[in-house]
Amino acid sequence: MSSLVLLFSAAAWGLASYANGAVGRIFAGTAGGLNGPLNLLLAGVDMRAGLTPAQQRVLHVGDVPSYNSDTLMLIHIADDRSSVTVVSLPRDSWVFIPGHGMNKINAAFGLGGPRLTVATVERATGLTINDFIEVNFLGFVKVIDALGGVNICLPQAVDDPDSGLRLAAGVHHVNGITALKYARDRHSFATSDLARITDQQSLLSSLLKEAISSGTLANPLRLSRFLSATLGVVKVDQNLDLTALADQVRGITPGEVHFLTVPLANTNYLTPGGESAVQWDSAAAGKLFAALGADQEISGPSPGPARAGGTRLRRSQVAVDVYNGTMIGGLSASTGAALARLGFHVHSGLNWPAHDVTHSLIQFPPGQQAGARLLRAALPGATMSQASGLHRIRIVLGATGSTVSSGSPGPSPAPDTRSRSAAQAACR
């Protein structure tokens, strides 16, 4: 995100030569080059290196070591430099990582750093990556603060203890710390990481608009402060020539930056190891990346998650673990099969440590109450309660309340899958 703004702002004032010499460099094994259409890979990395314990508490990122990528965006710059297409790659995408087999795409960074991440994305998309951009938690915060904050839109109130985001519904002008919480929030809505992608795209849009409307590009002092903050926390591949690239894209406006998400076939794939992942729609994704490879304009509907307040949750979006808390043999398997027939994504055949549970219980993590309500409609005899520390909804079956009803959640409108420009996606 910050690197895109850097390119725009540096070009506007002719400071790209300064940026080119001061930005941090890494070796990602990209193709380099500035001729023809370009593909840049932007990675927001889940790294806490350099953060003090106080900063970890303030940023609400915890202290558990992690080296995975938290966000991956493929940035395609058209050959004539008239437009930019940003394709979000969900962090839980189930792909082949060279030398390591099938895994979630965000694991590539931890397994082999930027170079393996680039190789993984190239294999999955069939595209050649020209350059790589890396931003960490602290860098994200500094960039937002250097701009004086950005606008975010919330269709409903959010209280997420995992990210620390607590805001009322509506439009908010937030600082870097709150923006990071917003970008990392993946528990407040049923589509989890997929909903977060829409948030990140909107945030990037607001970032671009803020850089223009706030006067940053017209005020040398503000621009200097922004560049100083950005250059200290953004790393790029050693092949990337910021000076030349900034000069090439200086005429692109937020209205010519378009966002979409790689097409998905299964948002509740259960991996052989029992983890939840997402699978790409191979045919649709193949067409998308072939079009980008041919430098064709991407128009019309394009798959992407929606976080609109009016989007109704579908049973297929609800993942649940079903435990047997009784002495009734096969109860978890039979109940799980009945829930699966209704469309839920079920992991059953599990046994609860105690076998004297009297009443069935639906436990849900913070932010997944909507999914729990759908399950409650299917298990009308069960009770509901929120439980911290969970990542998926859990049903503990008791002696009563385990009978599955057909329920009726009502029709499910299709999610908003349209490609959006930065001007359209930004908070208004």
Side-chain angles (χ1 to χ4, degrees):
M1 296 179 181
S2 54
S3 300
L4 279 180
V5 179
L6 170 65
L7 296 178
F8 283 88
S9 58
W13 270 88
L15 297 179
S17 58
Y18 164 70
N20 206 51
V23 70
R25 295 285 174 173
I26 53 179
F27 180 67
T30 58
L34 288 175
N35 297 320
L38 300 177
N39 297 308
L40 282 67
L41 185 61
L42 170 63
V45 296
D46 188 9
M47 295 179 63
R48 294 150 179 83
L51 295 179
T52 66
Q55 288 174 323
Q56 291 173 353
R57 288 193 297 271
V58 171
L59 298 179
H60 221 276
V61 297
D63 57 1
V64 178
S66 176
Y67 302 96
N68 291 340
S69 57
D70 200 54
T71 299
L72 278 178
M73 291 183 176
L74 177 67
I75 303 168
H76 176 81
I77 303 175
D79 185 16
D80 60 4
R81 306 300 187 255
S82 63
S83 65
V84 173
T85 301
V86 182
V87 183
S88 293
L89 309 178
R91 54 176 268 168
D92 289 340
S93 298
W94 191 245
V95 299
F96 182 83
I97 298 179
H100 298 273
M102 298 299 294
N103 206 331
K104 295 181 181 181
I105 198 170
N106 70 329
F109 193 90
L111 292 170
R115 189 166 188 174
L116 184 58
T117 301
V118 168
T120 299
V121 172
E122 286 186 330
R123 188 184 190 283
T125 65
L127 297 173
T128 297
I129 304 299
N130 298 96
D131 283 295
F132 181 85
I133 306 166
E134 176 186 313
V135 184
N136 63 18
F137 286 150
L138 187 59
F140 182 88
V141 171
K142 286 186 174 182
V143 168
I144 299 292
D145 285 342
L147 278 175
V150 294
N151 288 338
I152 62 173
C153 305
L154 291 175
Q156 63 191 65
V158 171
D159 184 0
D160 177 35
D162 291 281
S163 67
L165 182 65
R166 292 177 176 85
L167 287 174
V171 180
H172 303 270
H173 190 79
V174 300
N175 61 14
I177 292 176
T178 303
L180 177 64
K181 295 175 181 178
Y182 174 77
R184 297 185 67 240
D185 176 19
R186 60 190 179 96
H187 298 289
S188 296
F189 290 80
T191 48
S192 189
D193 281 319
L194 301 183
R196 182 170 63 166
I197 287 176
T198 299
D199 293 343
Q200 292 169 346
Q201 292 174 347
S202 296
L203 190 60
L204 176 53
S205 303
S206 291
L207 196 64
L208 291 173
K209 293 189 72 175
E210 188 70 29
I212 296 173
S213 63
S214 66
T216 297
L217 301 186
N219 186 318
L221 292 178
R222 294 196 66 177
L223 181 58
S224 176
R225 184 181 65 175
F226 170 75
L227 287 175
S228 297
T230 303
L231 295 176
V233 292
V234 175
K235 297 179 181 180
V236 301
D237 195 296
Q238 59 184 8
N239 295 318
L240 180 56
D241 187 338
L242 283 173
T243 303
L245 182 58
D247 183 64
Q248 290 184 16
V249 301
R250 71 171 64 196
I252 298 177
T253 67
E256 294 160 337
V257 181
H258 299 274
F259 297 92
L260 60 153
T261 303
V262 63
L264 302 176
N266 186 354
T267 60
N268 286 301
Y269 173 68
L270 191 64
T271 72
E275 296 181 289
S276 293
V278 298
Q279 291 179 309
W280 294 2
D281 183 327
S282 57
K287 291 180 180 179
L288 167 63
F289 295 125
L292 292 178
D295 199 35
Q296 297 174 355
E297 182 178 356
I298 307 298
S299 59
S302 57
R307 191 173 185 165
T311 301
R312 186 183 296 273
L313 179 66
R314 298 189 299 274
R315 287 169 171 169
S316 61
Q317 295 173 304
V318 179
V320 57
D321 297 322
V322 182
Y323 290 82
N324 185 359
T326 75
M327 296 296 292
I328 304 173
L331 184 61
S332 171
S334 60
T335 304
L339 291 172
R341 285 193 292 271
L342 293 180
F344 293 101
H345 185 70
V346 179
H347 184 201
S348 60
L350 306 172
N351 288 313
W352 192 245
H355 299 288
D356 56 355
V357 179
T358 58
H359 197 78
S360 297
L361 175 65
I362 301 171
Q363 296 177 312
F364 60 92
Q368 294 193 33
Q369 189 172 7
R373 288 198 187 103
L374 279 183
L375 284 165
R376 176 68 172 73
L379 280 174
T383 58
M384 285 173 45
S385 70
Q386 180 173 305
S388 60
L390 289 180
H391 297 290
R392 290 154 55 101
I393 298 174
R394 178 171 65 197
I395 296 176
V396 180
L397 296 172
T400 61
S402 60
T403 302
V404 177
S405 169
S406 62
S408 181
S412 302
D416 181 5
T417 60
R418 295 168 295 179
S419 174
R420 302 178 300 164
S421 72
Q424 295 168 330
C427 195
R428 302 185 182 187

